[in-house]
Amino acid sequence: MKTVKITGIQQVEVVNASSEQTLKANEVKVAVKTVGVCGSDIHYYKEGNIGSQIVDFPWGVGHEGAGQIVEVGAQVTTLKSGDRVAIEPNMYCGECSECRKGRQHTCLNQRFLGCPGQVEGCMVEYINLPSYCCEKVPENISFQLAAFAEPLSIGLYAFKLSEMSQQENNIAILGSGPIGLSVLASCLKNKQTKLAVTDLLGYRIEFAKAVGAKLACHPTEEDQIMDFVDVGYDIVFECCGKQEALDQALRILKPGGKLVFVGIPETQSLSYNMDLMRRKEICVQNVRRQNNCFTEAIQMIAEDPGYFEQMITHNYSVNEADEAFKCVAEYSNNVIKAMVNF
């Protein structure tokens, strides 16, 4: 079967691998139809690591997947052959201290699709997965939209971790890639309208405006960002993993504000201006993927598929996977989300 692997820095190849995998009783076999190229995939592609997670090339990537079930294990009763499913990429043990606390996303024994040292990804023609990793999707959701449920669930989880009040909040989202736009969508769904979005790329600024941001601008326009609010922002979502964005977040937050750090930095360490942190009494919340938001993300897409279809801007065949990675890595052709299709 065709399998997409990163074979070196900025090298992607489609290789043939065996499809002979024994199906366990609690597993389903999925014919993968599409996989999104994620920012974390691009870190592995460009840098060969995310922090301590170092790629041992060649490595199979991809975790934003969707497909159709072709076989079910003997113990599976909730799914059947022919079901269209979105793939939730975290395989957790269910027994460790984290799982017992309901924190499956920080499972001590987890295997996450495409994560170095854990398990290779789902950018393959067929994959066997625990049945709990597959969520049925409504007929009005395409496979591409089903795959987008994974990044959307991260934006939704970040929104929930912000614990913002039910009243109108002043919110800034720094970075309007797929994750920043997923945070934006989650805020809009929850009746938040005082939303400012920044990005370095002009086309993404315009896209953020088109999909609901009240203000969207380049981060250097800080006067404009601050004129949008009275004192500062209640909540800032950092969605690009940049030191400059972190610095700006601390400047524009109001006293007692909350920084929700969603982005993945290129380096292992970033620094905080502790003078601002202390004087403003800023609270910082980090985000680790998502937890218990996948079903709700699918429901959000089903309620307004047209809104999310705008975010899937590029489609490539599996044989064009190298072009898909280059496109996302270089921000080519106004890309928001690129999909690799089987």
Side-chain angles (χ1 to χ4, degrees), residues 109-124:
N109 305 301
Q110 70 178 262
R111 296 184 303 140
F112 192 90
L113 290 176
C115 184
Q118 294 183 20
V119 62
E120 292 198 296
C122 63
M123 209 171 278
V124 297

Side-chain angles (χ1 to χ4, degrees), residues 26-94:
N26 68 334
E27 290 183 333
V28 296
K29 184 175 184 178
V30 179
V32 177
K33 301 298 184 181
T34 190
V35 183
V37 180
C38 175
S40 61
D41 297 325
I42 297 302
H43 280 293
Y44 298 140
Y45 170 74
K46 290 178 65 177
E47 292 114 42
N49 72 295
I50 295 177
S52 60
Q53 296 172 332
I54 301 171
V55 178
D56 183 13
F57 299 113
W59 184 251
V61 290
H63 59 270
E64 300 176 2
Q68 193 161 24
I69 294 175
V70 295
E71 188 178 353
V72 300
Q75 295 176 2
V76 177
T77 59
T78 56
L79 297 166
K80 65 182 185 303
S81 180
D83 283 344
R84 301 165 66 255
V85 296
I87 294 171
E88 205 293 303
N90 184 36
M91 292 173 275
Y92 54 86
C93 73

Side-chain angles (χ1 to χ4, degrees), residues 47-168:
E47 292 114 42
N49 72 295
I50 295 177
S52 60
Q53 296 172 332
I54 301 171
V55 178
D56 183 13
F57 299 113
W59 184 251
V61 290
H63 59 270
E64 300 176 2
Q68 193 161 24
I69 294 175
V70 295
E71 188 178 353
V72 300
Q75 295 176 2
V76 177
T77 59
T78 56
L79 297 166
K80 65 182 185 303
S81 180
D83 283 344
R84 301 165 66 255
V85 296
I87 294 171
E88 205 293 303
N90 184 36
M91 292 173 275
Y92 54 86
C93 73
E95 299 175 354
C96 71
S97 58
E98 290 299 294
C99 285
R100 292 198 302 271
K101 289 188 293 187
R103 292 181 54 88
Q104 291 88 350
H105 65 312
T106 53
C107 170
L108 301 177
N109 305 301
Q110 70 178 262
R111 296 184 303 140
F112 192 90
L113 290 176
C115 184
Q118 294 183 20
V119 62
E120 292 198 296
C122 63
M123 209 171 278
V124 297
E125 285 187 87
Y126 296 95
I127 189 169
N128 292 354
L129 294 166
S131 61
Y132 64 75
C133 286
C134 295
E135 182 96 10
K136 288 177 64 174
V137 296
E139 288 299 322
N140 70 324
I141 292 183
S142 66
F143 286 116
Q144 285 78 16
L145 285 175
F148 194 77
E150 199 279 335
L152 178 58
S153 70
I154 296 170
L156 183 58
Y157 182 55
F159 171 84
K160 291 178 183 293
L161 286 180
S162 73
E163 297 180 322
M164 69 178 65
S165 63
Q166 294 297 311
Q167 64 194 41
E168 186 173 70

Side-chain angles (χ1 to χ4, degrees), residues 264-277:
I264 299 176
E266 294 177 0
T267 60
Q268 290 197 44
S269 298
L270 297 178
S271 63
Y272 289 83
N273 182 328
M274 292 309 299
D275 182 47
L276 278 177
M277 289 273 286

